[in-house]
Amino acid sequence: MLLLIAKQLSEQTRATDFISRFGGEEFTMLLPYTHAQSALILANQLRQTIEKTGFNASGSSVAITISCGITEFIEGDTDETAFDRADRALYQAKEKCRNQCCIG
């Protein structure tokens, strides 16, 4: 399932974008020169694509959804402050019944 998600992410992003697995079932994406609102549009497109993607496990259909936390670097940010803001946005999306994208 993780390979399927990774494939969908890489197929729908630009060559300049960076995607990596961040342990467990989490991925990070760095989208250079992309504002948070544009990243939100992309994340929602990816979310909808993944939700519609069929996946079978042991002959049974399994629903796949993703939740996304989005932020953009602002003046004075460090890697940690930007990541913490994105992480808080991710947990906000998960608290809203999952399968959502939030900007932090």
Side-chain angles (χ1 to χ4, degrees), residues 73-84:
F73 278 94
I74 56 176
E75 190 173 334
D77 263 345
T78 64
D79 294 344
E80 289 88 17
T81 57
F83 184 84
D84 287 344

Side-chain angles (χ1 to χ4, degrees), residues 30-89:
L30 299 177
L31 309 172
Y33 308 107
T34 305
H35 294 287
Q37 288 298 325
S38 296
L40 178 63
I41 291 168
L42 173 62
N44 275 314
Q45 289 171 342
L46 290 167
R47 183 185 57 75
Q48 291 168 356
T49 298
I50 289 170
E51 184 178 29
K52 293 175 186 172
T53 300
F55 183 76
N56 290 308
S58 302
S60 298
S61 180
V62 176
I64 304 173
T65 62
I66 63 170
S67 299
C68 305
I70 299 163
T71 195
E72 63 184 291
F73 278 94
I74 56 176
E75 190 173 334
D77 263 345
T78 64
D79 294 344
E80 289 88 17
T81 57
F83 184 84
D84 287 344
R85 204 168 41 252
D87 198 44
R88 285 193 306 271

